[in-house]
Amino acid sequence: SAVISQKPSRDICQRGTSLTIQCQVDSQVTMMFWYRQQPGQSLTLIATANQGSEATYESGFVIDKFPISRPNLTFSTLTVSNMSPEDSSIYLCSVDSANTGELFFGEGSRLTVL
Amino acid sequence: GIQVEQSPPDLILQEGANSTLRCNFSDSVNNLQWFHQNPWGQLINLFYIPSGTKQNGRLSATTVATERYSLLYISSSQTTDSGVYFCAVPDNYGQNFVFGPGTRLSVLP
């Protein structure tokens, strides 16, 4: 199984600011996934980040709002830009096992936007 | 795209009781996972179970892929079992996972 570390674990942010979430994996992985979980809701995929190429965004999510970096095979960042209270969510980084396809998650970053 | 349903949406148990959570999916899959999200928001892998039955302590899971459902059994529930249980399956392209809406479990002492 993969060990995934996310920072920050939680933050309180002001409206209009931006915050970058970091995700570090203990092994090299091809794809990293970013999910959003709004309060009381299930998980929704924001984008898939491949090393060396642009991230692939799901319907309803755009690069200007959620820019993603993937500088190497063990690290990725997600920025939540120009935040509003509607962006208050848990943001989760995940990877899948190359052998089985099993999905593993970081601890999540709980953002509250005032 | 593939649809995932979970039932019941909410469940309240007394400590020591048993429960069964269900996950239905609309298309054939070759992968299915159950997760437990604890009250702090952390997602914990419970089972990777594309088919058959697996057991881990007080928890077990069964997936009947041909009938497009999976069951998660919790026996002798404890207060630490509280949280939200999600099942997830790959989308129709096999690239990403689609999560069900979850079952919120509360185990009372």
Side-chain angles (χ1 to χ4, degrees):
Chain A
S1 65
V3 176
I4 306 168
S5 301
Q6 273 187 246
K7 292 193 295 187
S9 58
R10 58 177 60 233
D11 207 340
I12 300 174
C13 308
Q14 294 299 317
R15 181 195 297 261
T17 63
S18 299
L19 183 79
T20 296
I21 302 166
Q22 299 179 7
C23 179
Q24 179 77 51
V25 188
D26 68 342
S27 58
Q28 294 184 339
V29 293
T30 303
M31 293 191 290
M32 296 176 75
F33 308 94
W34 287 99
Y35 286 83
R36 181 178 73 180
Q37 185 181 25
Q38 296 178 298
Q41 302 297 310
S42 186
L43 280 74
T44 301
L45 183 66
I46 297 172
T48 302
N50 291 313
Q51 194 269 335
S53 64
E54 293 286 332
T56 303
Y57 289 82
E58 297 300 303
S59 176
F61 298 97
V62 296
I63 187 171
D64 290 346
K65 176 68 176 177
F66 298 101
I68 288 171
S69 78
R70 182 77 201 276
N72 58 53
L73 290 173
T74 63
F75 187 79
S76 179
T77 67
L78 170 76
T79 299
V80 186
S81 304
N82 188 25
M83 287 184 285
S84 67
E86 292 71 34
D87 293 319
S88 297
S89 297
I90 300 175
Y91 293 86
L92 297 119
C93 168
S94 72
V95 303
D96 62 354
S97 164
N99 295 328
T100 65
E102 188 174 0
L103 202 61
F104 297 94
F105 283 88
E107 312 97 322
S109 299
R110 187 184 295 268
L111 301 189
T112 301
V113 184
L114 303 178
Chain B
I2 193 167
Q3 304 295 314
V4 184
E5 300 175 345
Q6 289 186 246
S7 59
D10 296 278
L11 186 59
I12 300 175
L13 299 174
Q14 287 296 136
E15 199 168 24
N18 303 328
S19 63
T20 301
L21 282 58
R22 187 177 181 101
C23 173
N24 292 332
F25 39 95
S26 61
D27 208 345
S28 58
V29 299
N30 59 6
N31 189 341
L32 186 143
Q33 286 187 250
W34 283 97
F35 297 90
H36 173 217
Q37 187 171 40
N38 64 25
W40 295 270
Q42 188 171 6
L43 274 168
I44 300 164
N45 289 43
L46 296 178
F47 293 101
Y48 167 73
I49 184 166
S51 64
T53 298
K54 290 187 178 179
Q55 181 154 8
N56 185 3
R58 295 180 297 104
L59 274 60
S60 65
T62 296
T63 296
V64 184
T66 53
E67 297 187 21
R68 301 179 184 173
Y69 73 88
S70 183
L71 302 174
L72 177 69
Y73 306 95
I74 304 174
S75 64
S76 304
S77 58
Q78 302 176 356
T79 55
T80 52
D81 295 331
S82 296
V84 184
Y85 290 80
F86 291 104
C87 66
V89 298
D91 65 15
N92 292 107
Y93 303 100
Q95 295 284 322
N96 307 315
F97 276 81
V98 177
F99 280 74
T103 292
R104 182 173 299 277
L105 175 65
S106 299
V107 181
L108 306 178

